[in-house]
Amino acid sequence: MTNTKISLETSRDWLVKLVTSETFIYIIKRLLQALLTVFLASALSFFIMKLSPGNYVDTLRQNPKISPERIEEITRQFGLDKSWPEQFGFWLKQIVTKGDFGTSFVYQRSVSSLLWERVPATLFLAIASLIITWAIAIPLGILAAVKQNRLTDQVLQVLSYAGQGIPSFITVLFLLFFAQLTTPLFPVGNMTSIDHAELTWLGKILDIAWHSILPLIALSVTSFAGLQRIMRGQLLDVLRQDYIQTARAKGLPENRVIYVHALRNAINPLITLLGFELAGLLSGAFITEYFFNWPGLGKLTLQAVLAKDQYLVMASLVMSAVLLIIGNLIADLILKAADPRIKLEDLN
């Protein structure tokens, strides 16, 4: 009985510390702010869709095989005969009460089911690109700073300027041309092969990885170039600080000065950019997914916009906003873990 009482008291103390901790309060605050952000994003996307000329029913009217009676039935089915505020209010009510984002006009399916099918493919592409970009750009940025104004630095500078200067769609087109020249070495189209279901679990992983090589390169080039330059600039700035000169004067090894003292402070601004980097990759995935026929959220959203599939467009943009918010929140928490001196309240 005594042990049980002690255990309950310990659990209660731990819970109190958790609820009153700076990190927990910050997360709750950010989530509450996120609700307002998501609401504004959904409202903005809805009214932009409505202000654009035409709608899904207008495209049906151009088909002589569809009777006016059927068009009227479809209009009532999707609530398009109601006023704008009524349509938006009904959509929000369905989300809050039932978790229902509506039905896709084109696919005649639940929007939620369509999103759950496509989001994993986009997240895989974005997160894999993020890992590859950081794994390559950070070491090369450090190397460029250490070798400042030498041949290595100059070559890396040229590559970074070229990477940032070439538009994403040009990179994609070049990779498609390269894939055509090397066919069937690099597969283009979809994220799996025709016989994917018959492969072993290892074969399935390798199949997806092989299909994602060119899309990952296309998505990573611009991000890599920018991140490498930022890393170089930040490290050079830190290396000029007085405390770094003091550490060198004390006779510390150069590797320790760079990788322990300088890098820790130089990396903080890059961690702050992590959330925006994820958002940039998600938006850049639209182009990549379209050209490489990658079955992700970007391609689905683009098709929905062209078809005036308003509930699918709104849900897709809301999902993108949620992913952006989560990315920024994770970046802030990583920054706090990397440098405990930083107060989370100062990151708002």
Side-chain angles (χ1 to χ4, degrees), residues 13-85:
D13 293 341
W14 177 84
L15 185 61
V16 170
K17 288 181 180 179
L18 175 64
V19 173
T20 56
S21 67
E22 179 192 7
T23 303
F24 182 81
I25 294 173
Y26 178 76
I27 292 174
I28 296 298
K29 186 188 297 185
R30 287 293 298 270
L31 291 177
L32 292 175
Q33 292 174 351
L35 291 176
L36 177 61
T37 303
V38 170
F39 170 77
L40 293 176
S42 61
L44 182 62
S45 63
F46 174 79
F47 287 108
I48 288 176
M49 284 285 295
K50 287 299 183 182
L51 289 171
S52 63
N55 56 34
Y56 175 70
V57 175
D58 290 337
T59 61
L60 296 181
R61 289 194 178 98
Q62 299 173 10
N63 189 345
K65 295 181 179 180
I66 302 178
S67 65
E69 291 77 14
R70 176 55 182 161
I71 290 176
E72 289 299 322
E73 182 184 345
I74 293 173
T75 302
R76 290 192 299 271
Q77 176 187 349
F78 292 111
L80 298 177
D81 56 334
K82 299 178 181 178
S83 65
W84 292 5

Side-chain angles (χ1 to χ4, degrees), residues 182-201:
T182 58
T183 186
L185 184 58
F186 293 102
V188 175
N190 217 327
M191 61 184 294
T192 57
S193 301
I194 298 175
D195 60 343
H196 180 78
E198 302 171 6
L199 300 174
T200 63
W201 65 269

Side-chain angles (χ1 to χ4, degrees), residues 219-275:
L219 198 57
S220 302
V221 167
T222 304
S223 300
F224 155 77
L227 192 64
Q228 186 261 325
R229 288 190 61 210
I230 294 172
M231 181 71 256
R232 176 185 181 275
Q234 289 294 328
L235 187 57
L236 285 175
D237 185 59
V238 172
L239 288 173
R240 297 189 187 103
Q241 300 299 315
D242 292 339
Y243 71 92
I244 296 296
Q245 304 303 325
T246 302
R248 283 172 170 164
K250 290 181 178 179
L252 291 178
E254 186 66 13
N255 285 343
R256 182 174 177 82
V257 171
I258 293 172
Y259 295 105
V260 176
H261 296 279
L263 184 59
R264 182 175 181 180
N265 290 314
I267 202 76
N268 286 346
L270 276 77
I271 297 175
T272 305
L273 293 173
L274 183 62

